[in-house]
Amino acid sequence: MAQPGAVEQMIIDFIRNQIAATPDLEIDPDDNLFTSGQVDSLGIMRLITHLETTLELEIPLIERVPENFRTVRVMAAYLDDRLATRS
């Protein structure tokens, strides 16, 4: 299992480096990624694919809803729960 905060940091790093292409972008873990404009629908799909590959975890289509991916903190909690139930 990932260390506390590791999933949050992985998400932030991917958004900064791969989606926004702005390594020094300030991302508050509680900011709404969609309304802030930091991530669009294509970006979230890229992020989900990255997370599935990196964490070796499948995110079912039915769970790919804004409620699970609205903020970095919400997304990390969702993924931590999925990882915990996997083992």
Side-chain angles (χ1 to χ4, degrees):
M1 178 129 99
Q3 298 210 359
V7 174
E8 267 189 29
Q9 192 59 51
M10 178 191 321
I11 294 166
I12 290 171
D13 290 344
F14 189 82
I15 293 170
R16 283 180 178 156
N17 298 313
Q18 300 297 319
I19 295 175
T22 309
D24 58 347
L25 177 67
E26 288 295 321
I27 299 174
D28 184 308
D30 293 314
D31 283 349
N32 186 314
L33 296 171
F34 303 113
T35 60
S36 69
Q38 293 173 329
V39 178
D40 60 13
S41 58
L42 181 58
I44 200 68
M45 293 312 298
R46 288 179 57 209
L47 177 58
I48 289 171
T49 300
H50 170 73
L51 293 168
E52 286 182 317
T53 301
T54 304
L55 299 173
E56 298 178 351
L57 176 74
E58 183 180 343
I59 299 171
L61 289 176
I62 192 133
E63 294 181 11
R64 294 181 187 198
V65 294
E67 293 79 17
N68 290 335
F69 296 93
R70 184 177 325 276
T71 71
V72 170
R73 193 170 320 272
V74 166
M75 199 179 321
Y78 164 77
L79 292 166
D80 284 339
D81 285 346
R82 297 272 303 150
L83 289 168
T85 59
R86 176 180 72 178
S87 20

